[in-house]
């Protein structure tokens, strides 16, 4: 799917546009791509102009929602099939996303993009072939591209997440010149697709699965054995686990992951909010 290039609005962006119009300004300068850049748009009493196109002033936008132009109106970047999935703005610019109200990326202390950058740095992707098992919004992939990865292969199972990526300016576009053909994005379940990846064919791994209760198969010994099979000796893996509450869940998921990875053939240690492992 091609990436959207139109304006993205939040409630605060819309309020700034309206305030400038009501103040009699002929121009408004701000970001229409979630903080990646700033631009000037012409203001008229009944519409505003960007790139030669006229848009109506949005009214009554909801908080915690991002809107895109669907050709007729500004519509929420959200879909509902078996679950509600939506792109959610953050104070950092780079958005997160939610599935049925559950936030998928950490945003309380820093940008989810900066969080991804710190984790990607642990596997040192420059010049390497990297497997990104659960692509999500693509922040791991974007940080790998930024760091000079030779090639990165990302898998994403959820078609609606792939749709969110086409509307999120922070998500890397495999077809863009910036990607330089280095990003391959595949719509598939990595739990099944990994069996088709050759032995010792990747230099580093990034594994950011949904929580255990949703995708337990991605925490299984069988899957970790597959990760060990496709990773060359000495290659690094970062496995995001989050910090589930042991008191309420009765489980220590990071320690369980560490033990399973060691059984699969890794040296593993807790790092950041996950596990860093090296293939023995």
């Amino acid at each position: 799917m091609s990436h959207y290039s139109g304006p993205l609005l939040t409630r605060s962006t819309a309020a700034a546009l309206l305030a400038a119009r009501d103040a009699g300004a002929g121009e408004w300068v701000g970001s229409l791509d979630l903080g990646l850049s700033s631009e000037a748009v012409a203001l008229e009493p009944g519409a505003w102009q960007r790139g030669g196109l006229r848009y109506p002033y949005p009214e009554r936008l909801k908080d915690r929602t991002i809107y895109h132009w669907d050709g007729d109106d500004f519509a929420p970047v959200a879909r509902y099939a078996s679950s509600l999935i939506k792109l959610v703005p953050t104070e950092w610019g780079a958005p997160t996303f939610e599935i049925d109200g559950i936030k998928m990326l950490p945003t309380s202390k820093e940008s989810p993009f900066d969080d991804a950058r710190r984790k990607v740095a642990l596997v040192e992707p420059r010049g390497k072939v990297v497997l990104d098992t659960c692509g999500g919004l693509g922040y791991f992939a974007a940080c790998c591209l930024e760091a000079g990865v030779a090639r990165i292969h990302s898998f994403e199972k959820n078609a609606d997440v792939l749709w969110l990526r086409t509307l999120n300016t922070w998500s890397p576009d495999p077809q863009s010149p910036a990607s330089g053909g280095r990003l391959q994005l595949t719509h598939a379940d990595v739990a099944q697709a990994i069996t088709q990846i050759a032995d010792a064919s990747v230099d580093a791994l990034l594994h950011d699965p949904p929580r255990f209760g949703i995708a337990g198969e991605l925490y299984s010994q069988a899957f970790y054995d597959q990760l060990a099979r496709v990773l060359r000796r000495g290659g690094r893996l970062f496995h995001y686990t989050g910090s589930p509450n042991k008191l309420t869940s009765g489980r220590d998921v990071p320690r369980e992951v560490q033990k399973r990875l060691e059984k699969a053939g890794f040296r593993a240690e807790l790092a950041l909010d996950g596990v860093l492992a090296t293939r023995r």
Side-chain angles (χ1 to χ4, degrees):
M1 294 183 285
S2 60
H3 273 226
Y4 170 77
S5 59
L8 292 172
L9 297 181
T10 63
R11 184 176 181 179
S12 61
T13 305
L17 271 171
L18 289 168
R21 178 201 64 180
D22 294 345
E27 183 181 83
W28 174 80
V29 177
S31 179
L32 295 169
D33 58 5
L34 304 179
L36 276 175
S37 66
S38 183
E39 60 184 290
V41 298
L43 304 182
E44 302 171 3
W48 54 281
Q49 291 191 41
R50 176 184 187 260
L53 299 176
R54 299 175 80 248
Y55 299 95
Y57 289 97
E59 302 284 353
R60 293 183 291 278
L61 298 190
K62 295 180 179 179
D63 199 13
R64 301 184 66 257
T65 304
I66 295 171
Y67 293 80
H68 73 290
W69 181 250
D70 67 2
D72 297 310
D73 201 355
F74 284 101
V77 183
R79 277 184 173 178
Y80 182 81
S82 58
S83 57
L84 175 63
I85 184 167
K86 64 180 292 190
L87 206 60
V88 178
T90 72
E91 63 180 294
W92 318 102
T96 183
F97 70 108
E98 292 181 352
I99 299 178
D100 286 338
I102 299 173
K103 186 172 63 174
M104 295 292 111
L105 298 172
T107 60
S108 61
K109 297 180 180 179
E110 66 177 336
S111 160
F113 200 91
D114 288 339
D115 176 77
R117 186 181 283 120
R118 288 191 301 113
K119 293 167 181 174
V120 164
L122 294 176
V123 303
E124 300 176 349
R126 178 171 295 278
K128 294 180 179 177
V129 175
V130 177
L131 171 61
D132 177 24
T133 62
C134 305
L137 292 183
Y139 294 168
F140 276 178
C143 292
C144 282
L145 293 170
E146 176 186 84
V149 73
R151 180 165 55 87
I152 179 166
H153 190 176
S154 293
F155 288 89
E156 177 50 53
K157 178 180 179 180
N158 191 318
D160 290 333
V161 173
L162 293 173
W163 176 74
L164 290 184
R165 287 178 68 135
T166 67
L167 292 165
N168 180 19
T169 49
W170 289 80
S171 296
D173 180 357
Q175 305 304 319
S176 74
S179 294
R182 295 175 294 155
L183 171 58
Q184 179 181 352
L185 177 60
T186 300
H187 179 202
D189 183 351
V190 72
Q192 300 170 11
I194 196 169
T195 62
Q196 304 304 310
I197 299 176
D199 294 0
S201 60
V202 299
D203 302 313
L205 281 164
L206 292 162
H207 186 41
D208 185 8
R211 68 183 189 275
F212 184 87
I214 294 176
E217 71 278 6
L218 297 180
Y219 296 79
S220 69
Q221 190 64 58
F223 185 72
Y224 293 160
D225 290 345
Q226 288 290 334
L227 292 181
R229 180 185 63 79
V230 302
L231 184 63
R232 66 167 177 80
R233 292 188 182 277
R236 291 186 178 184
L237 156 69
F238 178 75
H239 184 321
Y240 171 75
T241 62
S243 304
N245 192 324
K246 289 185 289 184
L247 295 178
T248 57
S249 68
R251 305 186 64 173
D252 187 342
V253 174
R255 291 292 182 186
E256 291 180 19
V257 166
Q258 180 184 20
K259 290 179 180 178
R260 291 194 194 107
L261 287 174
E262 288 174 344
K263 185 176 180 181
F266 292 89
R267 294 190 303 274
E269 60 181 336
L270 302 187
L272 301 179
D273 48 6
V275 179
L276 178 64
T278 303
R279 180 72 167 91
R280 293 197 297 265

